[in-house]
Amino acid sequence: MSTLWTRRSVLTAVGAGAAAALGIELVRNEDWSRAFVDGAERLTLRTQRLILAKRPLAREFSQAEVSAHFPVNGSRVAPGADYQRMVESGFRDWRLRVHGLVRQPLALSLQDLKRLAMRSQITMHACDEGWNAIGQWGGVPLGLLLTMAGVVASAKYVVFHCLDKKDSNGEFYYESLDLFDAYHPQTILAYEMNGKPLPVGHGAPLRLRVETQIGYKNAKYVDRVEVVDRLTGFGKGRGGWWEDSDNALWYAGQ
Amino acid sequence: MDLSGNLTDETYRHPLPVRLWHWLTAATVLGLLFTGICILNVHPRLYWGEVGNEGTAAVVGLDPAGPAVAGHAAPAVLNIGHAKFDVTGITGVPFDYGNDGTYFMIFNAPESWHFGGLRAWHFALAWVLVTAAAAYAVYLLLSRRLGRMWLPTSAQLAPAAIRRDFWQHLTLRRADDRQYNLLQKLAYLAVLGLLLPLMVLTGLTMSNAVTLRFPELFTLFGGRESARTLHALFAALMILFILVHVFQSFVAGIVNQLGAMLTGYYRLHKETP
């Protein structure tokens, strides 16, 4: 048909071809992909901060709703004989350190932590894989520890250094939050689960509960809390183990 | 080139915003479906209600049915309600996540694609979809295209016309193409006005931060896991729409249809007496 090679169809073909090439390059080019995905992450963070401005609380459930089975995910235990000895001694000689950009670094035993104001909450843990479970968590509000340590004005993030490794030759697990989520009233360092001391599978001696974000942000086996002004310098600098190794989103409020 | 009949007048049917939106959304939806299926495959069990995990019953689930034997496909069972179907070797091979257990993958995304990265893409594409759909909805209203092209006319709603429209679809005969036909209009309205918002809302019900502010979403969809199950169901409906949409383009004349969505110009068919 003579109309096949009109000016219109040639222009259309050029335009459509260019658009398709750009789309393919967006997926293929790592820098472009990262810019696109990081841009969307910032947009999500800003939007969700807007709707969370009044700091609403996550739903809390009744005792009857606590899941009979709460899957153990990620690491099942921290490696090494030192950890085994800590478990056997009930973490008697272990200390949680809070340090970095603080006026008064802390070193607190499990007993010290239990003497502080305890917050108990029955909340839903939602894994990014798609499953969830409801559990009761008891622990110290992170905000209380940060206030005790006196966070300096330049601080922006809190990094959680953990005792576990996702693979035996790899780096220790770590995670991080910004101060907004760190000071959320339901963000706690839990030493108790379902009324009992936190089991090894769920991250003894201490695990983070951050109800504003998804499963992998809730670091287990927390050993050290470091207050920082930037996330570079830890792992690959993306703010957490999954973020570094699996391109997982650092802000996981989605 | 057109094999589908006698063509007469050309009409400018799809202005540039329509065409841009159509192709951008087509690419975005395909990307969302693809990343969505990859995400579902990591935990291929769907639940009803608030809670769902390996310890609770699934509405639909793909489960291992015994230990894997070297050199053979691992036994797998598909549960739909109480019915069990042996799908060994059909639904793909097990993928060992080490600590995180073994899952049966319909489609095994290579590890180098990164599960976390696929999720990040899913949410980034969702922003594109929502932004483009919102802009398009505004365009449809302001340009009055919604009233002119999308809303059924009173003539189309006459019982005889409805019967004729159904009959034409069932017999795969081309409808009068001077305007969108009734079922076409209803399909577009349902997808953009109902299915898309429901996909977005069920997706947002899986967001910790969004549901902190809008816990009503849980009530609306009957719980977090119900929302996930509905999200998968709506995705399946979206796939169905795409299949029918493409099939209909072939019935109506793919060259003319595709050409119109690229150049804007549609060639009307001579009315058959």
Side-chain angles (χ1 to χ4, degrees):
Chain A
M1 195 171 277
S2 61
T3 53
L4 196 61
W5 291 107
T6 58
R7 207 170 95 101
R8 181 206 297 164
S9 63
V10 170
L11 281 177
T12 303
V14 170
L22 278 176
I24 290 164
E25 188 65 7
L26 176 66
V27 179
R28 221 183 51 84
N29 184 310
E30 260 178 61
D31 294 338
W32 289 25
S33 298
R34 182 123 273 176
F36 174 61
V37 165
D38 286 357
E41 182 184 1
R42 275 195 299 278
L43 185 59
T44 305
L45 174 64
R46 291 203 184 135
T47 312
Q48 295 193 347
R49 284 298 144 82
L50 219 59
I51 64 170
L52 295 183
K54 287 185 183 163
R55 295 196 181 228
L57 296 180
R59 291 184 302 169
E60 295 194 13
F61 296 83
S62 72
Q63 194 63 47
E65 291 169 290
V66 169
S67 297
H69 176 74
F70 199 115
V72 170
N73 201 29
S75 306
R76 283 160 193 279
V77 63
D82 283 353
Y83 182 75
Q84 280 311 321
R85 273 193 292 277
M86 282 199 275
V87 172
E88 280 156 27
S89 70
F91 297 94
R92 199 179 47 230
D93 301 320
W94 170 85
R95 298 288 180 274
L96 171 75
R97 289 201 289 137
V98 181
H99 66 114
L101 297 177
V102 293
R103 279 182 287 277
Q104 179 60 56
L106 309 173
L108 301 165
S109 70
L110 216 43
Q111 284 312 312
D112 296 335
L113 291 171
K114 286 178 181 171
R115 273 193 289 270
L116 296 171
M118 185 222 208
R119 185 184 165 92
S120 174
Q121 59 202 39
I122 301 176
T123 53
M124 177 182 284
H125 175 89
C127 181
D128 62 353
E129 293 168 0
W131 54 267
N132 65 22
I134 294 171
Q136 178 267 336
W137 309 98
V140 197
L142 179 61
L144 176 63
L145 292 178
L146 295 176
T147 307
M148 283 168 63
V151 172
V152 304
S154 60
K156 284 199 173 71
Y157 305 100
V158 181
V159 179
F160 304 89
H161 299 280
C162 303
L163 295 166
D164 63 317
K165 290 182 173 188
K166 284 286 297 163
D167 60 273
S168 48
N169 306 318
E171 306 274 331
F172 283 102
Y173 197 86
Y174 78 103
E175 256 304 342
S176 58
L177 298 176
D178 63 9
L179 293 182
F180 182 94
D181 278 332
Y183 279 109
H184 189 277
Q186 286 169 316
T187 302
I188 64 174
L189 285 171
Y191 45 73
E192 181 187 285
M193 178 188 184
N194 295 342
K196 298 195 181 78
L198 188 67
V200 167
H202 289 285
L206 214 54
R207 89 170 292 174
L208 177 65
R209 289 301 314 165
V210 51
E211 310 299 349
T212 51
Q213 296 200 42
I214 212 155
Y216 62 86
K217 298 300 284 189
N218 297 259
K220 305 197 284 188
Y221 311 99
V222 173
D223 184 47
R224 203 149 57 77
V225 174
E226 187 175 356
V227 181
V228 296
D229 59 357
R230 62 179 68 102
L231 294 172
T232 49
F234 306 102
K236 290 182 189 158
R238 296 193 58 82
W241 192 91
W242 285 111
E243 290 85 331
D244 284 343
S245 61
D246 201 40
N247 296 346
L249 291 161
W250 173 77
Y251 178 67
Q254 293 83 353
Chain B
M1 281 298 289
D2 198 292
L3 312 168
S4 53
N6 303 317
L7 302 166
T8 55
D9 296 337
E10 214 172 37
T11 167
Y12 188 59
R13 173 166 278 191
H14 304 308
L16 189 62
V18 177
R19 285 175 279 149
L20 285 178
W21 176 80
H22 175 271
W23 293 114
L24 178 65
T25 300
T28 309
V29 167
L30 287 180
L32 280 162
L33 287 170
F34 180 72
T35 50
I37 289 168
C38 291
I39 294 166
L40 177 63
N41 271 330
V42 176
H43 188 78
R45 306 183 94 224
L46 296 168
Y47 311 92
W48 197 255
E50 203 61 81
V51 176
N53 59 55
E54 62 193 24
T56 65
V59 180
V60 179
L62 210 48
D63 288 310
V69 183
H72 293 275
V77 59
L78 175 67
N79 299 296
I80 301 175
H82 293 295
K84 289 183 189 301
F85 303 93
D86 182 7
V87 289
T88 303
I90 299 169
T91 50
V93 288
F95 187 86
D96 192 357
Y97 273 94
N99 276 339
D100 297 340
T102 307
Y103 300 98
F104 286 86
M105 311 278 278
I106 300 156
F107 163 77
N108 270 351
E111 235 180 318
S112 64
W113 289 8
H114 301 297
F115 170 62
L118 287 167
R119 287 184 79 246
W121 266 94
H122 195 73
F123 302 134
L125 290 171
W127 271 115
V128 178
L129 181 82
V130 169
T131 311
Y136 191 57
V138 171
Y139 169 80
L140 283 178
L141 287 170
L142 290 185
S143 68
R144 287 187 290 176
R145 190 181 171 86
L146 185 71
R148 266 188 301 119
M149 291 187 69
W150 283 49
L151 297 180
T153 60
S154 48
Q156 282 178 321
L157 289 171
I162 295 175
R163 274 197 300 275
R164 191 167 59 243
D165 200 48
F166 266 99
W167 185 245
Q168 277 169 333
H169 276 86
L170 285 174
T171 52
L172 301 184
R173 240 172 291 179
R174 189 171 33 235
D176 169 18
D177 65 354
R178 281 169 303 175
Q179 59 173 337
Y180 290 162
N181 63 64
L182 178 66
L183 290 180
Q184 186 178 17
K185 286 179 171 180
L186 293 180
Y188 295 170
L189 284 170
V191 168
L192 193 64
L194 207 61
L195 189 56
L196 223 118
L198 282 171
M199 288 237 66
V200 173
L201 286 176
T202 49
L204 289 175
T205 311
M206 288 182 264
S207 155
N208 281 36
V210 171
T211 52
L212 231 66
R213 175 66 182 78
F214 303 107
E216 301 82 3
L217 284 168
F218 289 123
T219 319
L220 182 61
F221 296 115
R224 195 180 203 279
E225 288 299 328
S226 297
R228 177 170 173 265
T229 299
L230 288 171
H231 196 66
L233 177 71
F234 296 148
L237 291 178
M238 189 64 88
I239 293 173
L240 184 68
F241 168 74
I242 293 169
L243 291 177
V244 172
H245 184 63
V246 172
F247 177 73
Q248 298 282 54
S249 309
F250 276 93
V251 171
I254 186 67
V255 173
N256 192 21
Q257 291 288 339
L258 209 52
M261 199 38 93
L262 286 166
T263 66
Y265 289 90
Y266 182 80
R267 272 169 290 147
L268 290 167
H269 291 84
K270 265 189 203 139
E271 249 192 296
T272 39

